[in-house]
Amino acid sequence: MRNSLLCIMCLLTLVAVAQGQSRDQLARQVTQAESSFAATLANRDPAAFGGFVAEEAIFFGQQPLRGRAAVVEGWKPLFEAPAAPFSWKPEIVEVLESGQLALSSGPVFDPDGKRVGTFNSIWRLDPDRQWRVIFDKGAPYCPPSEKP
C-alpha cells in the first residue's frame, strides 16, 4: 500500500512538473528532439533513429509504414550509403496547450543543400517524458511564386 501511494505521488509530481512548463519550453524540447532525430540520418545511426519513433508511429510514403519496426525497416536503405541522401531541420514547432502533442515542420535538402521538400511531423510526449514521432509526412517543395 505504501509503495502504491509513493508511486502515485511520483506520477502526480511528474504531471505537475510537465504542466509547469511553458509551451515555449516544450517547443524548444521538440525542436531539439527534431534536430537530434535529423542528426541520426546524418550520423548514419539507424538504432538512434528508431529511438525517436513511437511504437505505433505511421510514416507516410508510397505506402504507409505502420509501427516502429516497419518504419526502421523501411528507412534502413537510407542508412546504407556512406553519406545521407537528404537532411532536414525544424523551422516551425507548435505545441498544444496540453503539452502532449506537437507539430514540427521544415525544409528537406538534397546532399548539395538544395531544398527539395518539406517535412511535417507530429510528436507525442510519451510517459517516459521523451518526445517521439507518431506521424511523419513529407511533400515536394513548392517555392513561393513571384507576384506580377
Side-chain angles (χ1 to χ4, degrees):
M1 175 75 173
R2 183 175 178 178
N3 285 341
S4 297
L5 184 58
L6 184 59
C7 287
I8 291 170
M9 295 286 288
C10 287
L11 285 173
L12 290 174
T13 300
L14 285 174
V15 169
V17 168
Q19 290 176 345
Q21 293 181 312
S22 72
R23 279 200 330 257
D24 286 342
Q25 290 169 318
L26 293 170
R28 283 192 293 277
Q29 289 176 10
V30 174
T31 300
Q32 179 58 49
E34 183 71 69
S35 297
S36 296
F37 184 44
T40 66
L41 185 62
N43 296 334
R44 322 311 288 137
D45 190 348
F49 171 86
F52 287 97
V53 178
E55 280 292 335
E56 60 186 343
I58 300 174
F59 277 45
F60 295 89
Q62 290 180 342
Q63 296 290 321
L65 300 173
R66 297 178 183 276
R68 178 186 293 155
V71 170
V72 170
E73 184 63 27
W75 277 59
K76 189 176 178 180
L78 302 175
F79 286 91
E80 292 173 352
F86 61 90
S87 63
W88 71 94
K89 68 178 184 175
E91 198 169 72
I92 298 168
V93 173
E94 287 292 336
V95 179
L96 290 180
E97 189 68 40
S98 68
Q100 299 300 303
L101 292 175
L103 164 86
S104 61
S105 183
V108 177
F109 304 98
D110 70 11
D112 296 324
K114 178 183 174 201
R115 185 172 183 171
V116 294
T118 301
F119 78 88
N120 296 286
S121 298
I122 305 296
W123 293 78
R124 177 180 63 203
L125 186 59
D126 279 348
D128 65 358
R129 309 301 305 152
Q130 297 297 309
W131 287 98
R132 291 194 177 83
V133 178
I134 57 173
F135 292 104
D136 183 83
K137 185 168 186 359
Y141 177 57
C142 297
S145 60
E146 293 184 26
K147 297 192 180 204

mmCIF file of all heavy atoms in Angstrom, residues 29-79:
data_model
loop_
_atom_site.group_PDB
_atom_site.id
_atom_site.type_symbol
_atom_site.label_atom_id
_atom_site.label_comp_id
_atom_site.label_asym_id
_atom_site.label_seq_id
_atom_site.Cartn_x
_atom_site.Cartn_y
_atom_site.Cartn_z
ATOM 1 N N GLN A 29 12.065 21.848 -26.520
ATOM 2 C CA GLN A 29 12.345 20.413 -26.386
ATOM 3 C C GLN A 29 12.067 19.687 -27.700
ATOM 4 O O GLN A 29 12.857 18.839 -28.130
ATOM 5 C CB GLN A 29 11.482 19.792 -25.291
ATOM 6 C CG GLN A 29 11.844 20.183 -23.895
ATOM 7 C CD GLN A 29 10.879 19.587 -22.887
ATOM 8 O OE1 GLN A 29 10.050 18.735 -23.193
ATOM 9 N NE2 GLN A 29 10.978 20.061 -21.652
ATOM 10 N N VAL A 30 10.944 20.016 -28.344
ATOM 11 C CA VAL A 30 10.594 19.365 -29.600
ATOM 12 C C VAL A 30 11.586 19.759 -30.692
ATOM 13 O O VAL A 30 12.010 18.911 -31.492
ATOM 14 C CB VAL A 30 9.137 19.685 -30.011
ATOM 15 C CG1 VAL A 30 8.820 19.123 -31.392
ATOM 16 C CG2 VAL A 30 8.165 19.137 -28.973
ATOM 17 N N THR A 31 11.970 21.019 -30.732
ATOM 18 C CA THR A 31 12.971 21.472 -31.705
ATOM 19 C C THR A 31 14.272 20.692 -31.521
ATOM 20 O O THR A 31 14.875 20.231 -32.498
ATOM 21 C CB THR A 31 13.224 22.983 -31.564
ATOM 22 O OG1 THR A 31 11.993 23.681 -31.804
ATOM 23 C CG2 THR A 31 14.289 23.478 -32.533
ATOM 24 N N GLN A 32 14.682 20.514 -30.275
ATOM 25 C CA GLN A 32 15.905 19.751 -30.000
ATOM 26 C C GLN A 32 15.729 18.290 -30.396
ATOM 27 O O GLN A 32 16.629 17.686 -30.993
ATOM 28 C CB GLN A 32 16.279 19.851 -28.515
ATOM 29 C CG GLN A 32 17.529 19.067 -28.156
ATOM 30 C CD GLN A 32 18.747 19.501 -28.944
ATOM 31 O OE1 GLN A 32 19.044 20.681 -29.047
ATOM 32 N NE2 GLN A 32 19.463 18.551 -29.526
ATOM 33 N N ALA A 33 14.551 17.711 -30.095
ATOM 34 C CA ALA A 33 14.291 16.315 -30.466
ATOM 35 C C ALA A 33 14.324 16.157 -31.985
ATOM 36 O O ALA A 33 14.936 15.214 -32.506
ATOM 37 C CB ALA A 33 12.953 15.854 -29.902
ATOM 38 N N GLU A 34 13.695 17.085 -32.704
ATOM 39 C CA GLU A 34 13.676 17.001 -34.171
ATOM 40 C C GLU A 34 15.085 17.137 -34.735
ATOM 41 O O GLU A 34 15.475 16.414 -35.651
ATOM 42 C CB GLU A 34 12.758 18.083 -34.750
ATOM 43 C CG GLU A 34 12.615 18.040 -36.245
ATOM 44 C CD GLU A 34 11.793 16.851 -36.736
ATOM 45 O OE1 GLU A 34 10.583 16.836 -36.493
ATOM 46 O OE2 GLU A 34 12.377 15.945 -37.373
ATOM 47 N N SER A 35 15.863 18.055 -34.188
ATOM 48 C CA SER A 35 17.242 18.240 -34.651
ATOM 49 C C SER A 35 18.084 16.997 -34.377
ATOM 50 O O SER A 35 18.874 16.572 -35.228
ATOM 51 C CB SER A 35 17.863 19.467 -33.974
ATOM 52 O OG SER A 35 17.158 20.642 -34.334
ATOM 53 N N SER A 36 17.897 16.401 -33.219
ATOM 54 C CA SER A 36 18.620 15.171 -32.878
ATOM 55 C C SER A 36 18.159 14.010 -33.755
ATOM 56 O O SER A 36 18.970 13.165 -34.161
ATOM 57 C CB SER A 36 18.419 14.828 -31.402
ATOM 58 O OG SER A 36 18.979 15.827 -30.587
ATOM 59 N N PHE A 37 16.871 13.983 -34.043
ATOM 60 C CA PHE A 37 16.319 12.958 -34.931
ATOM 61 C C PHE A 37 16.958 13.071 -36.313
ATOM 62 O O PHE A 37 17.421 12.081 -36.881
ATOM 63 C CB PHE A 37 14.798 13.157 -34.997
ATOM 64 C CG PHE A 37 14.038 12.136 -35.780
ATOM 65 C CD1 PHE A 37 14.298 10.785 -35.671
ATOM 66 C CD2 PHE A 37 13.004 12.536 -36.604
ATOM 67 C CE1 PHE A 37 13.559 9.845 -36.382
ATOM 68 C CE2 PHE A 37 12.253 11.618 -37.312
ATOM 69 C CZ PHE A 37 12.536 10.264 -37.210
ATOM 70 N N ALA A 38 17.037 14.282 -36.846
ATOM 71 C CA ALA A 38 17.662 14.508 -38.152
ATOM 72 C C ALA A 38 19.140 14.109 -38.125
ATOM 73 O O ALA A 38 19.664 13.569 -39.109
ATOM 74 C CB ALA A 38 17.511 15.970 -38.564
ATOM 75 N N ALA A 39 19.799 14.345 -37.006
ATOM 76 C CA ALA A 39 21.219 14.008 -36.891
ATOM 77 C C ALA A 39 21.452 12.498 -36.979
ATOM 78 O O ALA A 39 22.535 12.071 -37.391
ATOM 79 C CB ALA A 39 21.792 14.560 -35.589
ATOM 80 N N THR A 40 20.449 11.693 -36.629
ATOM 81 C CA THR A 40 20.643 10.242 -36.715
ATOM 82 C C THR A 40 20.886 9.798 -38.153
ATOM 83 O O THR A 40 21.668 8.879 -38.384
ATOM 84 C CB THR A 40 19.452 9.456 -36.132
ATOM 85 O OG1 THR A 40 18.274 9.670 -36.919
ATOM 86 C CG2 THR A 40 19.198 9.831 -34.682
ATOM 87 N N LEU A 41 20.225 10.443 -39.111
ATOM 88 C CA LEU A 41 20.454 10.102 -40.521
ATOM 89 C C LEU A 41 21.828 10.609 -40.957
ATOM 90 O O LEU A 41 22.584 9.886 -41.598
ATOM 91 C CB LEU A 41 19.349 10.666 -41.413
ATOM 92 C CG LEU A 41 19.423 10.255 -42.888
ATOM 93 C CD1 LEU A 41 19.279 8.737 -43.059
ATOM 94 C CD2 LEU A 41 18.337 10.966 -43.694
ATOM 95 N N ALA A 42 22.148 11.831 -40.594
ATOM 96 C CA ALA A 42 23.455 12.399 -40.953
ATOM 97 C C ALA A 42 24.598 11.582 -40.350
ATOM 98 O O ALA A 42 25.631 11.391 -40.990
ATOM 99 C CB ALA A 42 23.542 13.850 -40.484
ATOM 100 N N ASN A 43 24.392 11.071 -39.138
ATOM 101 C CA ASN A 43 25.426 10.303 -38.440
ATOM 102 C C ASN A 43 25.388 8.821 -38.769
ATOM 103 O O ASN A 43 26.163 8.048 -38.203
ATOM 104 C CB ASN A 43 25.299 10.501 -36.929
ATOM 105 C CG ASN A 43 25.556 11.926 -36.520
ATOM 106 O OD1 ASN A 43 26.268 12.664 -37.196
ATOM 107 N ND2 ASN A 43 24.957 12.332 -35.412
ATOM 108 N N ARG A 44 24.451 8.436 -39.658
ATOM 109 C CA ARG A 44 24.333 7.051 -40.111
ATOM 110 C C ARG A 44 24.066 6.113 -38.936
ATOM 111 O O ARG A 44 24.707 5.079 -38.773
ATOM 112 C CB ARG A 44 25.582 6.604 -40.875
ATOM 113 C CG ARG A 44 26.228 7.651 -41.805
ATOM 114 C CD ARG A 44 25.290 8.378 -42.771
ATOM 115 N NE ARG A 44 24.848 7.502 -43.851
ATOM 116 C CZ ARG A 44 23.582 7.457 -44.285
ATOM 117 N NH1 ARG A 44 22.670 8.232 -43.776
ATOM 118 N NH2 ARG A 44 23.244 6.649 -45.249
ATOM 119 N N ASP A 45 23.106 6.467 -38.069
ATOM 120 C CA ASP A 45 22.829 5.733 -36.837
ATOM 121 C C ASP A 45 21.371 5.265 -36.794
ATOM 122 O O ASP A 45 20.534 5.900 -36.155
ATOM 123 C CB ASP A 45 23.158 6.623 -35.643
ATOM 124 C CG ASP A 45 23.143 5.888 -34.318
ATOM 125 O OD1 ASP A 45 22.660 4.734 -34.258
ATOM 126 O OD2 ASP A 45 23.611 6.477 -33.336
ATOM 127 N N PRO A 46 21.049 4.152 -37.468
ATOM 128 C CA PRO A 46 19.660 3.701 -37.510
ATOM 129 C C PRO A 46 19.098 3.305 -36.141
ATOM 130 O O PRO A 46 17.902 3.444 -35.905
ATOM 131 C CB PRO A 46 19.682 2.506 -38.465
ATOM 132 C CG PRO A 46 21.103 2.066 -38.525
ATOM 133 C CD PRO A 46 21.938 3.279 -38.227
ATOM 134 N N ALA A 47 19.940 2.839 -35.232
ATOM 135 C CA ALA A 47 19.452 2.474 -33.893
ATOM 136 C C ALA A 47 18.956 3.718 -33.163
ATOM 137 O O ALA A 47 17.877 3.697 -32.546
ATOM 138 C CB ALA A 47 20.551 1.774 -33.101
ATOM 139 N N ALA A 48 19.717 4.796 -33.229
ATOM 140 C CA ALA A 48 19.282 6.044 -32.593
ATOM 141 C C ALA A 48 18.025 6.577 -33.280
ATOM 142 O O ALA A 48 17.120 7.094 -32.624
ATOM 143 C CB ALA A 48 20.400 7.079 -32.635
ATOM 144 N N PHE A 49 17.960 6.442 -34.597
ATOM 145 C CA PHE A 49 16.771 6.855 -35.354
ATOM 146 C C PHE A 49 15.524 6.194 -34.769
ATOM 147 O O PHE A 49 14.529 6.846 -34.482
ATOM 148 C CB PHE A 49 16.951 6.476 -36.824
ATOM 149 C CG PHE A 49 15.732 6.654 -37.671
ATOM 150 C CD1 PHE A 49 15.438 7.880 -38.253
ATOM 151 C CD2 PHE A 49 14.864 5.591 -37.902
ATOM 152 C CE1 PHE A 49 14.319 8.050 -39.041
ATOM 153 C CE2 PHE A 49 13.737 5.750 -38.692
ATOM 154 C CZ PHE A 49 13.461 6.983 -39.255
ATOM 155 N N GLY A 50 15.587 4.881 -34.560
ATOM 156 C CA GLY A 50 14.447 4.143 -34.042
ATOM 157 C C GLY A 50 13.984 4.625 -32.680
ATOM 158 O O GLY A 50 12.797 4.551 -32.351
ATOM 159 N N GLY A 51 14.893 5.161 -31.877
ATOM 160 C CA GLY A 51 14.538 5.664 -30.558
ATOM 161 C C GLY A 51 13.641 6.888 -30.591
ATOM 162 O O GLY A 51 12.976 7.197 -29.594
ATOM 163 N N PHE A 52 13.587 7.577 -31.707
ATOM 164 C CA PHE A 52 12.731 8.764 -31.847
ATOM 165 C C PHE A 52 11.363 8.423 -32.434
ATOM 166 O O PHE A 52 10.517 9.298 -32.562
ATOM 167 C CB PHE A 52 13.414 9.810 -32.735
ATOM 168 C CG PHE A 52 14.559 10.501 -32.063
ATOM 169 C CD1 PHE A 52 15.859 10.079 -32.269
ATOM 170 C CD2 PHE A 52 14.339 11.577 -31.211
ATOM 171 C CE1 PHE A 52 16.924 10.703 -31.652
ATOM 172 C CE2 PHE A 52 15.392 12.214 -30.584
ATOM 173 C CZ PHE A 52 16.699 11.772 -30.799
ATOM 174 N N VAL A 53 11.159 7.170 -32.814
ATOM 175 C CA VAL A 53 9.922 6.752 -33.467
ATOM 176 C C VAL A 53 9.032 6.046 -32.453
ATOM 177 O O VAL A 53 9.464 5.091 -31.802
ATOM 178 C CB VAL A 53 10.238 5.812 -34.660
ATOM 179 C CG1 VAL A 53 8.964 5.334 -35.330
ATOM 180 C CG2 VAL A 53 11.151 6.515 -35.662
ATOM 181 N N ALA A 54 7.787 6.497 -32.316
ATOM 182 C CA ALA A 54 6.847 5.864 -31.391
ATOM 183 C C ALA A 54 6.513 4.450 -31.855
ATOM 184 O O ALA A 54 6.557 4.156 -33.054
ATOM 185 C CB ALA A 54 5.569 6.700 -31.299
ATOM 186 N N GLU A 55 6.193 3.587 -30.921
ATOM 187 C CA GLU A 55 5.840 2.196 -31.244
ATOM 188 C C GLU A 55 4.718 2.127 -32.276
ATOM 189 O O GLU A 55 4.718 1.268 -33.132
ATOM 190 C CB GLU A 55 5.416 1.436 -29.984
ATOM 191 C CG GLU A 55 6.568 0.961 -29.148
ATOM 192 C CD GLU A 55 7.401 -0.130 -29.794
ATOM 193 O OE1 GLU A 55 6.894 -0.875 -30.650
ATOM 194 O OE2 GLU A 55 8.581 -0.237 -29.436
ATOM 195 N N GLU A 56 3.746 3.025 -32.189
ATOM 196 C CA GLU A 56 2.586 2.977 -33.079
ATOM 197 C C GLU A 56 2.654 4.017 -34.197
ATOM 198 O O GLU A 56 1.635 4.364 -34.801
ATOM 199 C CB GLU A 56 1.304 3.153 -32.271
ATOM 200 C CG GLU A 56 1.253 4.485 -31.528
ATOM 201 C CD GLU A 56 0.045 4.609 -30.619
ATOM 202 O OE1 GLU A 56 -0.923 3.847 -30.774
ATOM 203 O OE2 GLU A 56 0.075 5.493 -29.751
ATOM 204 N N ALA A 57 3.826 4.487 -34.503
ATOM 205 C CA ALA A 57 4.007 5.549 -35.499
ATOM 206 C C ALA A 57 3.519 5.124 -36.882
ATOM 207 O O ALA A 57 3.493 3.942 -37.216
ATOM 208 C CB ALA A 57 5.481 5.938 -35.590
ATOM 209 N N ILE A 58 3.147 6.138 -37.660
ATOM 210 C CA ILE A 58 2.833 5.947 -39.076
ATOM 211 C C ILE A 58 3.652 6.970 -39.854
ATOM 212 O O ILE A 58 3.541 8.171 -39.626
ATOM 213 C CB ILE A 58 1.334 6.122 -39.383
ATOM 214 C CG1 ILE A 58 0.499 5.106 -38.591
ATOM 215 C CG2 ILE A 58 1.080 5.987 -40.887
ATOM 216 C CD1 ILE A 58 -1.004 5.300 -38.728
ATOM 217 N N PHE A 59 4.484 6.468 -40.765
ATOM 218 C CA PHE A 59 5.254 7.316 -41.662
ATOM 219 C C PHE A 59 4.670 7.128 -43.054
ATOM 220 O O PHE A 59 4.556 6.005 -43.532
ATOM 221 C CB PHE A 59 6.739 6.928 -41.665
ATOM 222 C CG PHE A 59 7.542 7.514 -40.538
ATOM 223 C CD1 PHE A 59 7.076 7.503 -39.224
ATOM 224 C CD2 PHE A 59 8.787 8.063 -40.777
ATOM 225 C CE1 PHE A 59 7.825 8.037 -38.189
ATOM 226 C CE2 PHE A 59 9.550 8.598 -39.756
ATOM 227 C CZ PHE A 59 9.070 8.589 -38.457
ATOM 228 N N PHE A 60 4.312 8.230 -43.680
ATOM 229 C CA PHE A 60 3.677 8.180 -44.985
ATOM 230 C C PHE A 60 4.710 8.246 -46.090
ATOM 231 O O PHE A 60 5.685 8.975 -46.003
ATOM 232 C CB PHE A 60 2.675 9.325 -45.142
ATOM 233 C CG PHE A 60 1.529 9.226 -44.194
ATOM 234 C CD1 PHE A 60 1.593 9.806 -42.932
ATOM 235 C CD2 PHE A 60 0.386 8.529 -44.543
ATOM 236 C CE1 PHE A 60 0.533 9.700 -42.045
ATOM 237 C CE2 PHE A 60 -0.676 8.416 -43.670
ATOM 238 C CZ PHE A 60 -0.602 9.003 -42.410
ATOM 239 N N GLY A 61 4.493 7.477 -47.134
ATOM 240 C CA GLY A 61 5.325 7.448 -48.320
ATOM 241 C C GLY A 61 4.490 6.844 -49.427
ATOM 242 O O GLY A 61 3.276 7.053 -49.466
ATOM 243 N N GLN A 62 5.104 6.065 -50.294
ATOM 244 C CA GLN A 62 4.311 5.377 -51.321
ATOM 245 C C GLN A 62 3.273 4.483 -50.657
ATOM 246 O O GLN A 62 2.149 4.384 -51.120
ATOM 247 C CB GLN A 62 5.212 4.577 -52.248
ATOM 248 C CG GLN A 62 6.061 5.450 -53.132
ATOM 249 C CD GLN A 62 6.962 4.631 -54.043
ATOM 250 O OE1 GLN A 62 7.211 3.458 -53.814
ATOM 251 N NE2 GLN A 62 7.435 5.271 -55.095
ATOM 252 N N GLN A 63 3.659 3.808 -49.605
ATOM 253 C CA GLN A 63 2.761 3.023 -48.764
ATOM 254 C C GLN A 63 3.050 3.428 -47.320
ATOM 255 O O GLN A 63 4.217 3.584 -46.953
ATOM 256 C CB GLN A 63 3.012 1.515 -48.921
ATOM 257 C CG GLN A 63 2.729 0.979 -50.301
ATOM 258 C CD GLN A 63 1.228 0.975 -50.594
ATOM 259 O OE1 GLN A 63 0.416 0.678 -49.736
ATOM 260 N NE2 GLN A 63 0.873 1.343 -51.808
ATOM 261 N N PRO A 64 2.019 3.584 -46.485
ATOM 262 C CA PRO A 64 2.295 3.931 -45.083
ATOM 263 C C PRO A 64 3.096 2.825 -44.387
ATOM 264 O O PRO A 64 2.851 1.637 -44.603
ATOM 265 C CB PRO A 64 0.905 4.044 -44.461
ATOM 266 C CG PRO A 64 -0.036 4.226 -45.596
ATOM 267 C CD PRO A 64 0.582 3.530 -46.774
ATOM 268 N N LEU A 65 4.055 3.245 -43.589
ATOM 269 C CA LEU A 65 4.802 2.333 -42.734
ATOM 270 C C LEU A 65 4.175 2.439 -41.351
ATOM 271 O O LEU A 65 4.153 3.526 -40.762
ATOM 272 C CB LEU A 65 6.277 2.713 -42.692
ATOM 273 C CG LEU A 65 7.014 2.710 -44.024
ATOM 274 C CD1 LEU A 65 8.424 3.284 -43.852
ATOM 275 C CD2 LEU A 65 7.068 1.300 -44.591
ATOM 276 N N ARG A 66 3.659 1.334 -40.835
ATOM 277 C CA ARG A 66 2.924 1.342 -39.566
ATOM 278 C C ARG A 66 3.708 0.628 -38.481
ATOM 279 O O ARG A 66 4.000 -0.550 -38.609
ATOM 280 C CB ARG A 66 1.566 0.683 -39.736
ATOM 281 C CG ARG A 66 0.677 1.426 -40.706
ATOM 282 C CD ARG A 66 -0.665 0.719 -40.894
ATOM 283 N NE ARG A 66 -1.454 1.408 -41.883
ATOM 284 C CZ ARG A 66 -2.214 2.469 -41.647
ATOM 285 N NH1 ARG A 66 -2.301 2.953 -40.426
ATOM 286 N NH2 ARG A 66 -2.898 3.041 -42.613
ATOM 287 N N GLY A 67 4.049 1.365 -37.435
ATOM 288 C CA GLY A 67 4.783 0.817 -36.305
ATOM 289 C C GLY A 67 6.273 1.061 -36.416
ATOM 290 O O GLY A 67 6.820 1.187 -37.510
ATOM 291 N N ARG A 68 6.912 1.148 -35.245
ATOM 292 C CA ARG A 68 8.352 1.449 -35.204
ATOM 293 C C ARG A 68 9.157 0.467 -36.038
ATOM 294 O O ARG A 68 10.032 0.868 -36.817
ATOM 295 C CB ARG A 68 8.861 1.442 -33.774
ATOM 296 C CG ARG A 68 10.365 1.703 -33.687
ATOM 297 C CD ARG A 68 10.914 1.570 -32.290
ATOM 298 N NE ARG A 68 10.379 2.624 -31.450
ATOM 299 C CZ ARG A 68 10.272 2.522 -30.123
ATOM 300 N NH1 ARG A 68 10.643 1.421 -29.501
ATOM 301 N NH2 ARG A 68 9.772 3.519 -29.426
ATOM 302 N N ALA A 69 8.888 -0.832 -35.883
ATOM 303 C CA ALA A 69 9.685 -1.842 -36.604
ATOM 304 C C ALA A 69 9.583 -1.641 -38.114
ATOM 305 O O ALA A 69 10.596 -1.706 -38.821
ATOM 306 C CB ALA A 69 9.241 -3.245 -36.213
ATOM 307 N N ALA A 70 8.386 -1.365 -38.624
ATOM 308 C CA ALA A 70 8.200 -1.164 -40.063
ATOM 309 C C ALA A 70 8.884 0.118 -40.528
ATOM 310 O O ALA A 70 9.472 0.155 -41.616
ATOM 311 C CB ALA A 70 6.719 -1.137 -40.412
ATOM 312 N N VAL A 71 8.816 1.164 -39.714
ATOM 313 C CA VAL A 71 9.470 2.425 -40.083
ATOM 314 C C VAL A 71 10.985 2.235 -40.145
ATOM 315 O O VAL A 71 11.632 2.620 -41.124
ATOM 316 C CB VAL A 71 9.095 3.560 -39.096
ATOM 317 C CG1 VAL A 71 9.958 4.799 -39.332
ATOM 318 C CG2 VAL A 71 7.617 3.901 -39.194
ATOM 319 N N VAL A 72 11.547 1.626 -39.121
ATOM 320 C CA VAL A 72 13.003 1.405 -39.093
ATOM 321 C C VAL A 72 13.423 0.526 -40.270
ATOM 322 O O VAL A 72 14.410 0.828 -40.950
ATOM 323 C CB VAL A 72 13.435 0.807 -37.739
ATOM 324 C CG1 VAL A 72 14.885 0.354 -37.780
ATOM 325 C CG2 VAL A 72 13.227 1.829 -36.620
ATOM 326 N N GLU A 73 12.664 -0.516 -40.544
ATOM 327 C CA GLU A 73 12.989 -1.400 -41.674
ATOM 328 C C GLU A 73 12.858 -0.651 -43.004
ATOM 329 O O GLU A 73 13.693 -0.782 -43.886
ATOM 330 C CB GLU A 73 12.085 -2.635 -41.657
ATOM 331 C CG GLU A 73 12.413 -3.640 -42.735
ATOM 332 C CD GLU A 73 13.802 -4.262 -42.617
ATOM 333 O OE1 GLU A 73 14.356 -4.348 -41.505
ATOM 334 O OE2 GLU A 73 14.346 -4.659 -43.675
ATOM 335 N N GLY A 74 11.787 0.149 -43.133
ATOM 336 C CA GLY A 74 11.573 0.903 -44.363
ATOM 337 C C GLY A 74 12.634 1.957 -44.620
ATOM 338 O O GLY A 74 12.953 2.265 -45.768
ATOM 339 N N TRP A 75 13.192 2.522 -43.552
ATOM 340 C CA TRP A 75 14.226 3.547 -43.686
ATOM 341 C C TRP A 75 15.627 2.942 -43.743
ATOM 342 O O TRP A 75 16.602 3.663 -44.003
ATOM 343 C CB TRP A 75 14.124 4.540 -42.525
ATOM 344 C CG TRP A 75 13.104 5.616 -42.743
ATOM 345 C CD1 TRP A 75 11.767 5.449 -42.972
ATOM 346 C CD2 TRP A 75 13.345 7.017 -42.757
ATOM 347 N NE1 TRP A 75 11.162 6.665 -43.123
ATOM 348 C CE2 TRP A 75 12.107 7.646 -42.990
ATOM 349 C CE3 TRP A 75 14.478 7.801 -42.584
ATOM 350 C CZ2 TRP A 75 11.980 9.027 -43.066
ATOM 351 C CZ3 TRP A 75 14.344 9.180 -42.643
ATOM 352 C CH2 TRP A 75 13.102 9.779 -42.889
ATOM 353 N N LYS A 76 15.767 1.655 -43.504
ATOM 354 C CA LYS A 76 17.075 1.002 -43.469
ATOM 355 C C LYS A 76 17.940 1.322 -44.691
ATOM 356 O O LYS A 76 19.126 1.649 -44.538
ATOM 357 C CB LYS A 76 16.876 -0.509 -43.329
ATOM 358 C CG LYS A 76 18.121 -1.278 -43.067
ATOM 359 C CD LYS A 76 17.774 -2.759 -42.858
ATOM 360 C CE LYS A 76 19.019 -3.584 -42.649
ATOM 361 N NZ LYS A 76 18.672 -5.000 -42.461
ATOM 362 N N PRO A 77 17.392 1.272 -45.916
ATOM 363 C CA PRO A 77 18.235 1.599 -47.086
ATOM 364 C C PRO A 77 18.795 3.025 -47.064
ATOM 365 O O PRO A 77 19.845 3.283 -47.656
ATOM 366 C CB PRO A 77 17.287 1.416 -48.275
ATOM 367 C CG PRO A 77 16.209 0.504 -47.780
ATOM 368 C CD PRO A 77 16.063 0.810 -46.315
ATOM 369 N N LEU A 78 18.126 3.932 -46.384
ATOM 370 C CA LEU A 78 18.597 5.322 -46.332
ATOM 371 C C LEU A 78 19.851 5.479 -45.474
ATOM 372 O O LEU A 78 20.529 6.506 -45.549
ATOM 373 C CB LEU A 78 17.487 6.236 -45.802
ATOM 374 C CG LEU A 78 16.188 6.228 -46.606
ATOM 375 C CD1 LEU A 78 15.118 7.065 -45.918
ATOM 376 C CD2 LEU A 78 16.432 6.727 -48.028
ATOM 377 N N PHE A 79 20.156 4.457 -44.682
ATOM 378 C CA PHE A 79 21.329 4.497 -43.808
ATOM 379 C C PHE A 79 22.521 3.732 -44.390
ATOM 380 O O PHE A 79 23.588 3.718 -43.799
ATOM 381 C CB PHE A 79 20.977 3.904 -42.435
ATOM 382 C CG PHE A 79 20.129 4.804 -41.595
ATOM 383 C CD1 PHE A 79 18.746 4.726 -41.648
ATOM 384 C CD2 PHE A 79 20.704 5.740 -40.744
ATOM 385 C CE1 PHE A 79 17.958 5.552 -40.874
ATOM 386 C CE2 PHE A 79 19.926 6.569 -39.959
ATOM 387 C CZ PHE A 79 18.550 6.477 -40.030
#
